[in-house]
Amino acid sequence: MPELIGSRGHDYFINEGILKISGMIRPDGSFSFWPGGDEVNLWTSVYATHFLVEARQRGYRIDSKVYDQSLDQVENLVYGSDASERVLPVKVYASYVLALSERHGNKLRNRLDDIPIDDLPGYSRYMLATAFYLVGDEDKALRLIPTMIQPPVFERQSGNNLSSPLRSTAIMLETMNRINPDHPACAALAQKLIEASLENRYYTTQETAFALLALGKYLAGQDVPDFTGTLEIEGDTTYTFNSKRFKLSRNNLYDKTIKIDIEGHGPCFYYWQASGIPEDRPANEYSHGIEITRRYFNQSGSQLDLDSVPLGDRVVCKLSARAVAGPLENVVINDMLPAGLEIENPRIKSGPRFSWIPRQQDKYDYLDIRDDRLLIFTDLSKNHTFEYYYTLRAVSKGEFIVPPVMSECMYDPLKAASSSAGMINIK
């Protein structure tokens, strides 16, 4: 759907992704978890190489040095001696990526035989089955697939290998579609992924990537659709369309009933997109597994009177967050700004610093400063409150909505919080 990615097309975004990932490679061939950082997550490092392998197979240019280095690191994981419970799923994923590349052969086939199958989580068994299939051992691949296949149910991981039921379902579909595409489980697994996207569920980046990869390969093997249809809008004209692309823009769809009918064969996919400015005040506040608060102070350290902020004054923001039920990894704090305030870059050390602001003690993984918000990526502890101070300046007079500060676990989006919304009057 070209409209979802803009006029530049998918090639632009894929090439930009290749450039960004290539810039995060480390000397040993692994990839840093954050731009400019040294932290490495083994699973996401293999995940980056997986993307490069898939992209190269589809004709995209990958720098040969980056590509070779990344596969060298994958080989080190495959043939390394560490087979602990934590590393074993990564070793299987690395084997799967290596089998996808041009570097597979008898050496890899022999290594796959050494992997202890009984110690693997479900999704790793499917990845191992795919690896066996890609190196030419279809019998072992089929023996790894259970008789009964159904979407898994288990708790998400916010760190480690970032596992989730949706990602596992996508891995299962990709495996089944490759090894046994006529198996009835393929349609059931694809339906599960599609239904999850229709239930107002958030996909994480991993879930989105694996789901699109699996669904794309599954749908590519289906019949070419050939249908005609009508789209009827309440109080408007009835529009006709066919299996070729159809696009309609309207500004009067609010509270209208829309009916779509098709005749013919093959799947018909549709989506709609709405945009605008909400007339209501900020959204409801909530806390699901995370507590987040924001407080504004004036230059002397007193609580800021949001009804009367002098134009040009500096404002200090304090963000506080903690995990409620247990520790969480890879949490993003998203502090959107009122339109009348502007961030003063904390990386610039030349500006005056208020003596009452404590030195930053809590560590964070990555800080992203934008025109309209501050993003902090960190881990949260149950028994410790993460705190971060930064300064802003009142740059525009007027009355502005203060958006809520939000926090969300990147790989378990049901753990989230929103609070501290309101209004600010700059005079």
Coordinates of all heavy atoms in Angstrom, one line a residue, residues 15-63:
N15 N 16.3 1.3 1.9 CA 17.7 1.7 1.7 C 18.2 2.6 2.9 O 19.3 2.5 3.4 CB 17.9 2.5 0.4 CG 18.0 1.6 -0.8 OD1 18.6 0.5 -0.8 ND2 17.3 1.9 -1.9
E16 N 17.2 3.4 3.4 CA 17.6 4.2 4.6 C 17.8 3.3 5.8 O 18.7 3.5 6.6 CB 16.4 5.2 4.9 CG 16.4 6.4 4.0 CD 17.6 7.3 4.1 OE1 17.9 7.7 5.2 OE2 18.3 7.4 3.1
G17 N 17.0 2.2 5.9 CA 17.2 1.3 7.0 C 18.5 0.5 6.9 O 19.2 0.3 7.9
I18 N 18.9 0.2 5.7 CA 20.2 -0.5 5.5 C 21.3 0.5 5.9 O 22.3 0.1 6.6 CB 20.4 -0.9 4.0 CG1 19.4 -2.0 3.6 CG2 21.8 -1.3 3.7 CD1 19.3 -2.3 2.2
L19 N 21.2 1.8 5.5 CA 22.3 2.7 5.9 C 22.4 2.9 7.4 O 23.5 2.9 8.0 CB 22.0 4.1 5.2 CG 22.3 4.2 3.7 CD1 21.9 5.5 3.2 CD2 23.8 3.9 3.4
K20 N 21.2 3.0 8.1 CA 21.2 3.2 9.5 C 21.8 2.0 10.2 O 22.6 2.1 11.2 CB 19.8 3.5 10.0 CG 19.8 3.8 11.5 CD 18.4 4.3 11.9 CE 18.4 4.8 13.4 NZ 17.1 5.4 13.8
I21 N 21.4 0.8 9.8 CA 21.9 -0.4 10.5 C 23.4 -0.6 10.2 O 24.1 -0.9 11.1 CB 21.1 -1.7 10.0 CG1 19.7 -1.6 10.5 CG2 21.8 -3.0 10.4 CD1 18.8 -2.7 10.0
S22 N 23.8 -0.3 9.0 CA 25.2 -0.4 8.7 C 26.1 0.5 9.5 O 27.2 0.2 9.9 CB 25.4 -0.1 7.2 OG 24.7 -1.0 6.4
G23 N 25.5 1.6 9.9 CA 26.2 2.6 10.7 C 26.3 2.2 12.2 O 27.0 2.8 13.0
M24 N 25.6 1.1 12.6 CA 25.6 0.7 14.0 C 26.4 -0.6 14.2 O 26.5 -1.2 15.3 CB 24.2 0.4 14.4 CG 23.3 1.7 14.5 SD 21.6 1.4 14.7 CE 21.6 0.9 16.4
I25 N 27.2 -1.1 13.1 CA 28.0 -2.3 13.3 C 29.2 -2.0 14.1 O 29.8 -0.9 14.0 CB 28.3 -2.9 11.9 CG1 28.8 -4.3 12.0 CG2 29.3 -2.0 11.1 CD1 28.9 -5.1 10.7
R26 N 29.6 -3.0 14.9 CA 30.8 -2.9 15.7 C 31.9 -3.6 15.1 O 31.7 -4.4 14.2 CB 30.5 -3.4 17.1 CG 29.3 -2.7 17.8 CD 28.8 -3.3 19.1 NE 29.7 -3.1 20.2 CZ 30.4 -4.0 20.8 NH1 30.4 -5.3 20.3 NH2 31.2 -3.8 21.8
P27 N 33.2 -3.4 15.6 CA 34.3 -4.1 14.9 C 34.2 -5.6 14.9 O 34.7 -6.3 14.0 CB 35.5 -3.7 15.8 CG 35.1 -2.3 16.3 CD 33.6 -2.5 16.6
D28 N 33.5 -6.2 15.9 CA 33.4 -7.7 15.9 C 32.2 -8.2 15.0 O 32.0 -9.4 15.0 CB 33.3 -8.2 17.3 CG 31.9 -7.8 18.0 OD1 31.2 -7.0 17.4 OD2 31.7 -8.2 19.1
G29 N 31.5 -7.3 14.3 CA 30.4 -7.8 13.5 C 29.1 -7.8 14.1 O 28.0 -8.0 13.5
S30 N 29.0 -7.5 15.4 CA 27.7 -7.4 16.1 C 27.2 -5.9 15.9 O 27.9 -5.1 15.4 CB 27.8 -7.7 17.6 OG 28.7 -6.8 18.2
F31 N 26.0 -5.7 16.3 CA 25.4 -4.4 16.1 C 25.0 -3.8 17.5 O 24.5 -4.5 18.4 CB 24.1 -4.5 15.3 CG 24.4 -4.8 13.8 CD1 24.5 -6.2 13.5 CD2 24.6 -3.8 12.9 CE1 24.8 -6.5 12.1 CE2 24.8 -4.2 11.6 CZ 24.9 -5.5 11.2
S32 N 25.3 -2.5 17.7 CA 24.9 -1.9 18.9 C 23.4 -1.7 19.0 O 22.7 -1.6 18.0 CB 25.6 -0.5 19.0 OG 25.2 0.4 18.0
F33 N 22.9 -1.7 20.3 CA 21.4 -1.7 20.5 C 20.9 -0.3 20.2 O 19.8 -0.1 19.8 CB 21.1 -2.1 21.9 CG 19.7 -2.5 22.2 CD1 19.2 -3.6 21.6 CD2 18.9 -1.7 22.9 CE1 17.9 -4.0 21.8 CE2 17.6 -2.1 23.2 CZ 17.1 -3.2 22.6
W34 N 21.8 0.8 20.4 CA 21.4 2.1 20.2 C 22.4 2.8 19.3 O 23.6 2.5 19.4 CB 21.2 2.9 21.5 CG 20.2 2.4 22.4 CD1 20.3 1.6 23.6 CD2 18.8 2.6 22.2 NE1 19.1 1.4 24.1 CE2 18.1 1.9 23.3 CE3 18.0 3.2 21.3 CZ2 16.7 1.9 23.4 CZ3 16.6 3.2 21.4 CH2 16.0 2.5 22.5
P35 N 22.0 3.8 18.5 CA 23.0 4.5 17.7 C 24.1 5.2 18.6 O 23.8 5.8 19.6 CB 22.2 5.6 17.0 CG 20.8 5.1 17.0 CD 20.6 4.3 18.3
G36 N 25.3 4.9 18.2 CA 26.4 5.5 19.0 C 26.8 4.9 20.3 O 27.7 5.3 21.0
G37 N 26.1 3.8 20.6 CA 26.3 3.1 21.9 C 27.2 1.8 21.7 O 27.5 1.4 20.6
D38 N 27.5 1.2 22.8 CA 28.3 0.0 22.9 C 27.5 -1.2 23.3 O 28.0 -2.3 23.2 CB 29.5 0.2 23.8 CG 30.5 1.2 23.2 OD1 30.7 1.2 21.9 OD2 31.2 1.9 23.9
E39 N 26.3 -1.0 23.9 CA 25.5 -2.1 24.4 C 25.1 -3.0 23.2 O 24.7 -2.6 22.2 CB 24.3 -1.6 25.1 CG 23.4 -2.7 25.7 CD 22.2 -2.2 26.3 OE1 22.0 -0.9 26.4 OE2 21.3 -3.0 26.7
V40 N 25.2 -4.3 23.4 CA 24.8 -5.3 22.4 C 23.8 -6.3 23.0 O 24.0 -6.8 24.1 CB 26.0 -6.1 21.9 CG1 25.6 -7.2 21.0 CG2 27.0 -5.2 21.2
N41 N 22.7 -6.4 22.3 CA 21.7 -7.5 22.6 C 21.9 -8.6 21.5 O 21.7 -8.3 20.3 CB 20.3 -7.0 22.6 CG 19.2 -8.0 22.8 OD1 19.0 -8.9 22.0 ND2 18.6 -8.0 24.0
L42 N 22.3 -9.8 21.9 CA 22.6 -10.8 20.9 C 21.5 -11.1 20.0 O 21.7 -11.2 18.8 CB 23.0 -12.1 21.7 CG 24.4 -12.1 22.4 CD1 24.6 -13.4 23.1 CD2 25.5 -11.8 21.4
W43 N 20.2 -11.2 20.5 CA 19.1 -11.5 19.6 C 18.9 -10.4 18.6 O 18.8 -10.7 17.4 CB 17.8 -11.6 20.4 CG 16.6 -11.9 19.6 CD1 15.8 -11.0 18.9 CD2 16.1 -13.2 19.2 NE1 14.8 -11.6 18.2 CE2 15.0 -13.0 18.3 CE3 16.5 -14.5 19.5 CZ2 14.3 -14.0 17.8 CZ3 15.7 -15.5 19.0 CH2 14.7 -15.3 18.1
T44 N 18.9 -9.1 19.0 CA 18.7 -8.0 18.0 C 19.8 -7.8 17.1 O 19.7 -7.3 16.0 CB 18.4 -6.7 18.8 OG1 19.4 -6.4 19.7 CG2 17.1 -6.8 19.6
S45 N 21.0 -8.3 17.5 CA 22.2 -8.2 16.6 C 22.0 -9.2 15.5 O 22.3 -8.9 14.3 CB 23.5 -8.5 17.4 OG 24.6 -8.3 16.6
V46 N 21.5 -10.4 15.8 CA 21.2 -11.4 14.7 C 20.1 -10.9 13.9 O 20.0 -11.1 12.7 CB 20.9 -12.8 15.4 CG1 20.5 -13.8 14.3 CG2 22.1 -13.3 16.1
Y47 N 19.1 -10.2 14.6 CA 17.9 -9.7 13.9 C 18.4 -8.7 12.8 O 17.8 -8.6 11.7 CB 17.0 -9.1 14.9 CG 15.8 -8.3 14.5 CD1 14.8 -8.9 13.9 CD2 15.8 -6.9 14.7 CE1 13.6 -8.2 13.5 CE2 14.7 -6.2 14.4 CZ 13.6 -6.8 13.8 OH 12.5 -6.1 13.4
A48 N 19.3 -7.8 13.1 CA 19.9 -6.9 12.1 C 20.5 -7.6 10.9 O 20.3 -7.2 9.8 CB 20.9 -5.9 12.8
T49 N 21.3 -8.6 11.2 CA 21.9 -9.4 10.1 C 20.8 -10.1 9.3 O 20.9 -10.2 8.1 CB 22.8 -10.5 10.7 OG1 23.8 -9.8 11.5 CG2 23.6 -11.2 9.6
H50 N 19.7 -10.6 9.9 CA 18.6 -11.2 9.2 C 18.0 -10.2 8.2 O 17.8 -10.6 7.1 CB 17.5 -11.6 10.3 CG 16.4 -12.3 9.7 ND1 15.2 -12.6 10.4 CD2 16.1 -12.8 8.4 CE1 14.4 -13.3 9.7 NE2 14.9 -13.4 8.5
F51 N 17.8 -9.0 8.6 CA 17.3 -8.0 7.7 C 18.2 -7.8 6.5 O 17.8 -7.7 5.4 CB 17.1 -6.7 8.4 CG 16.8 -5.5 7.5 CD1 15.6 -5.4 6.9 CD2 17.8 -4.5 7.3 CE1 15.3 -4.3 6.1 CE2 17.5 -3.5 6.5 CZ 16.3 -3.3 5.9
L52 N 19.5 -7.7 6.8 CA 20.5 -7.5 5.7 C 20.5 -8.7 4.7 O 20.6 -8.5 3.5 CB 21.9 -7.3 6.2 CG 22.1 -6.1 7.1 CD1 23.5 -6.0 7.6 CD2 21.8 -4.8 6.3
V53 N 20.3 -9.9 5.2 CA 20.3 -11.1 4.3 C 19.0 -11.1 3.5 O 19.1 -11.3 2.3 CB 20.4 -12.4 5.2 CG1 20.1 -13.6 4.3 CG2 21.8 -12.5 5.8
E54 N 17.9 -10.8 4.1 CA 16.6 -10.8 3.4 C 16.7 -9.6 2.3 O 16.2 -9.8 1.2 CB 15.5 -10.5 4.3 CG 15.2 -11.7 5.3 CD 14.3 -12.7 4.7 OE1 14.0 -12.7 3.5 OE2 13.9 -13.7 5.4
A55 N 17.2 -8.5 2.7 CA 17.3 -7.4 1.7 C 18.2 -7.7 0.5 O 17.9 -7.4 -0.6 CB 17.8 -6.1 2.4
R56 N 19.4 -8.3 0.8 CA 20.3 -8.6 -0.2 C 19.7 -9.6 -1.2 O 19.9 -9.5 -2.4 CB 21.6 -9.2 0.4 CG 22.6 -9.6 -0.7 CD 24.0 -9.7 -0.1 NE 25.0 -10.3 -0.9 CZ 26.3 -10.2 -0.8 NH1 26.8 -9.4 0.1 NH2 27.1 -10.9 -1.6
Q57 N 19.0 -10.6 -0.7 CA 18.3 -11.6 -1.6 C 17.3 -11.0 -2.5 O 16.9 -11.6 -3.5 CB 17.7 -12.7 -0.7 CG 18.7 -13.6 0.0 CD 18.1 -14.7 0.8 OE1 16.9 -14.7 1.1 NE2 18.9 -15.6 1.3
R58 N 16.8 -9.8 -2.1 CA 15.8 -9.1 -2.9 C 16.4 -8.0 -3.8 O 15.7 -7.2 -4.3 CB 14.7 -8.6 -2.1 CG 13.7 -9.8 -1.6 CD 13.0 -9.5 -0.3 NE 12.2 -10.6 0.0 CZ 12.6 -11.7 0.6 NH1 13.9 -11.8 0.9 NH2 11.8 -12.7 0.9
G59 N 17.7 -8.0 -3.9 CA 18.4 -7.1 -4.8 C 18.9 -5.8 -4.3 O 19.4 -5.0 -5.0
Y60 N 18.8 -5.6 -3.0 CA 19.2 -4.3 -2.4 C 20.8 -4.4 -2.2 O 21.3 -5.5 -1.8 CB 18.5 -4.0 -1.1 CG 17.1 -3.7 -1.3 CD1 16.1 -4.7 -1.2 CD2 16.7 -2.4 -1.7 CE1 14.7 -4.4 -1.5 CE2 15.3 -2.1 -1.9 CZ 14.4 -3.1 -1.8 OH 13.1 -2.8 -2.0
R61 N 21.4 -3.3 -2.4 CA 22.9 -3.3 -2.2 C 23.3 -3.2 -0.8 O 22.8 -2.2 -0.1 CB 23.5 -2.1 -3.0 CG 25.0 -2.1 -3.0 CD 25.5 -0.9 -3.7 NE 27.0 -0.8 -3.6 CZ 27.6 -0.4 -2.5 NH1 27.0 0.1 -1.5 NH2 29.0 -0.4 -2.5
I62 N 24.1 -4.1 -0.3 CA 24.6 -4.0 1.1 C 26.1 -3.9 1.0 O 26.8 -4.6 0.2 CB 24.3 -5.3 1.8 CG1 22.8 -5.7 1.7 CG2 24.7 -5.2 3.3 CD1 21.9 -4.8 2.3
D63 N 26.7 -3.0 1.7 CA 28.2 -2.9 1.7 C 28.8 -4.3 2.0 O 28.4 -4.9 3.0 CB 28.6 -1.9 2.8 CG 30.1 -1.7 2.8 OD1 30.6 -0.9 2.0 OD2 30.8 -2.4 3.6

